[in-house]
Amino acid sequence: MVVRAVKTFGVVFDDEPKSSYSSGETLSGQVLLELNEALKVKGLRAEARGCARVHWCESPAAAAPASARSYRDEVVYVHQRQSLWQPTAADGEECFVTLQPGKHEFPFRFQLPQEPLVTSFNGKYGSVQYWVTAIVDQPSVPSLSVKREFNVTGHIDVNAPALLSPISKNREKTVSCWFFTSGPISVNAKIERRGFCNGEAIPIYAEFENCSSRLIVPKAAIYQTQTYLVNEKTRTFKQMIANVRGNHIASGSTDSWNGKALKIPPVTPSILDCSVIRVEYSLAVYVHIPGAKRLMLELPLVIGTIPYNSFGSRTSSICSQFSMDLTWLQFALPEHPEAPPNYADIVSEEELARPIPYFTQPDNLECEFGGPIFAYIQEFRFQPPPLYSEIDPYPTTTDDMHSEVTFEI
């Protein structure tokens, strides 16, 4: 009867195009209820919840499946309730009203906690989920409910100093053939930083040396490691999410990667602040050796949400280097600098006695100066420059500046 009366029952968010929320944001929307016929209702409420859940089972190898031990845990991050509509009840009486056929909308609004929230995630043995549940309470029958999930992203800034430092590792392995030693194979790999975001390409710098008698193949891959924790028990699941390979390296040869790119596919950002679930990433650079175990080294990665700012990082690095380079000035400059020598003292007697060549000058210059111009040249020839002063002896007023501005059409 109740199912036949309800035509539509759902939750709609105001920001439907929005793909994800973060801590401190407002989540709002409406509960939509469309009825085919009249329905008795005691009240309607909405709940916002979010939690991390872990569950797996283990049994001893020789034991029966019935003796399997279950591991389960849960951490709650969001638990809020809101009454959307409640009829007024008389004293000691159960109150309900009848909703008429048609469409009914009940708005809701939740403020997510200001504390950092764990990113939404679905894994092998657990998940982090957030959802809004709408509940219609009815008299004498079970309540109606509908659930709508929403995603949450916990932000990680890859520009943090701990994620900008380069990481390098090297490893060597000696390959044997029957009872004879073939020779060592060495790998040296480096990445410029530890933090990256989805869609970025990781430049890989690596050196491979093959001193064995076998043909080897260098490869690289990004691994995701999921770790689930219940009390002191852990369960781990590891999977490859992207890989790249290089050219074959013959016996006695070397090869190098000078920034070989490995693009990060769309994956869940690293989860490092949850007590029951951890999601970590690593870059594995390894060598496939036919007939032997591969030689591998792993470099830790952090997949963040705030992209790398190369300009800001480079500027801060340059500024720090520049400030360090200026420290030599305190040793190079004297405490009391000496005055510069007089200009006339550094002019030799030969220059003073040297005659000034004569050039024919227009008569109007002599009339303007009131005498021979060469007398003025000789007078100011070896005079020192004027003393430095921060006060302009000939200031230009604002009126003079405006009067000197001319426009040509």
Side-chain angles (χ1 to χ4, degrees):
M1 180 67 178
V2 175
V3 177
R4 188 175 58 186
V6 178
K7 180 179 180 180
T8 304
F9 185 32
V11 176
V12 178
F13 298 135
D14 289 338
D15 299 329
E16 284 293 342
K18 190 170 184 176
S19 59
S20 182
Y21 294 83
S22 59
S23 58
E25 292 188 344
T26 299
L27 175 66
S28 60
Q30 296 86 32
V31 175
L32 303 180
L33 180 61
E34 186 176 0
L35 302 176
N36 292 321
E37 55 188 58
L39 182 68
K40 293 182 179 181
V41 177
K42 293 171 54 178
L44 188 142
R45 66 183 188 272
E47 296 182 358
R49 294 201 63 188
C51 62
R53 293 172 175 171
V54 175
H55 178 224
W56 78 88
C57 297
E58 287 185 0
S59 60
S67 62
R69 184 176 180 180
S70 178
Y71 296 90
R72 189 188 303 268
D73 201 352
E74 177 179 303
V75 179
V76 178
Y77 298 108
V78 179
H79 192 187
Q80 301 177 10
R81 294 181 180 181
Q82 182 180 355
S83 177
L84 305 183
W85 179 76
Q86 186 72 38
T88 304
D91 295 338
E93 295 182 2
E94 184 179 17
C95 182
F96 63 89
V97 297
T98 302
L99 293 180
Q100 299 302 319
K103 295 182 179 180
H104 304 270
E105 294 185 4
F106 304 90
F108 64 85
R109 184 182 183 89
F110 293 103
Q111 184 77 29
L112 297 180
Q114 295 292 339
E115 295 79 10
L117 297 177
V118 179
T119 302
S120 301
F121 173 72
N122 286 311
K124 181 74 172 178
Y125 302 107
S127 63
V128 181
Q129 294 179 326
Y130 300 85
W131 67 91
V132 171
T133 304
I135 303 170
V136 176
D137 294 321
Q138 298 178 273
S140 306
V141 293
S143 301
L144 294 176
S145 64
V146 63
K147 185 172 72 172
R148 174 77 184 276
E149 290 190 18
F150 63 94
N151 291 325
V152 169
T153 300
H155 292 299
I156 300 177
D157 189 357
V158 301
N159 298 284
L163 304 182
L164 293 178
S165 57
I167 303 175
S168 62
K169 285 186 179 181
N170 59 79
R171 193 174 179 183
E172 184 177 292
K173 179 179 181 179
T174 301
V175 180
S176 301
C177 183
W178 294 99
F179 299 102
F180 303 96
T181 301
S182 176
I185 299 173
S186 62
V187 179
N188 188 352
K190 175 185 176 181
I191 53 177
E192 295 179 335
R193 52 190 168 95
R194 182 181 176 184
F196 293 87
C197 291
N198 285 336
E200 279 194 272
I202 304 177
I204 306 173
Y205 301 88
E207 298 288 340
F208 306 93
E209 184 177 5
N210 182 16
C211 295
S212 68
S213 59
R214 305 183 187 184
L215 185 69
I216 63 175
V217 182
K219 299 180 180 180
I222 300 176
Y223 284 94
Q224 180 194 73
T225 303
Q226 305 172 15
T227 305
Y228 303 91
L229 305 95
V230 176
N231 297 328
E232 297 181 355
K233 190 69 175 180
T234 62
R235 189 74 179 264
T236 302
F237 175 74
K238 189 174 183 178
Q239 61 179 347
M240 179 189 296
I241 60 174
N243 64 338
V244 68
R245 62 179 296 167
N247 299 323
H248 292 76
I249 302 177
S251 175
S253 302
T254 61
D255 193 12
S256 61
W257 289 355
N258 296 317
K260 192 175 186 65
L262 177 55
K263 189 175 181 179
I264 302 174
V267 293
T268 302
S270 299
I271 298 179
L272 308 174
D273 53 354
C274 181
S275 59
V276 295
I277 298 177
R278 291 181 63 87
V279 179
E280 299 169 298
Y281 295 89
S282 62
L283 172 67
V285 181
Y286 58 98
V287 175
H288 176 71
I289 308 172
K293 188 177 180 179
R294 61 185 179 181
L295 173 63
M296 175 186 290
L297 53 87
E298 289 192 68
L299 307 176
L301 296 176
V302 173
I303 306 299
T305 58
I306 301 177
Y308 172 64
N309 185 358
S310 58
F311 177 77
S313 302
R314 189 182 300 115
T315 302
S316 61
S317 177
I318 292 176
C319 291
S320 62
Q321 293 178 7
F322 185 68
S323 61
M324 293 176 62
D325 294 337
L326 289 180
T327 55
W328 62 273
L329 287 176
Q330 60 182 346
F331 304 103
L333 295 178
E335 294 183 1
H336 303 285
E338 299 179 358
N342 191 353
Y343 184 72
D345 297 339
I346 63 175
V347 180
S348 62
E349 296 182 358
E350 291 79 4
E351 291 180 335
L352 288 170
R354 185 182 303 167
I356 301 176
Y358 178 80
F359 298 97
T360 303
Q361 299 291 336
D363 296 338
N364 60 342
L365 291 178
E366 294 187 1
C367 295
E368 182 177 352
F369 283 94
I373 190 174
F374 296 108
Y376 291 94
I377 297 176
Q378 184 66 30
E379 180 181 355
F380 294 101
R381 184 181 179 192
F382 296 108
Q383 289 295 322
L387 296 176
Y388 170 75
S389 175
E390 295 185 356
I391 302 176
D392 189 359
Y394 307 103
T396 303
T397 62
T398 306
D399 297 337
D400 296 337
M401 293 177 62
H402 286 295
S403 62
E404 293 177 359
V405 177
T406 59
F407 297 91
E408 296 182 0
I409 301 178

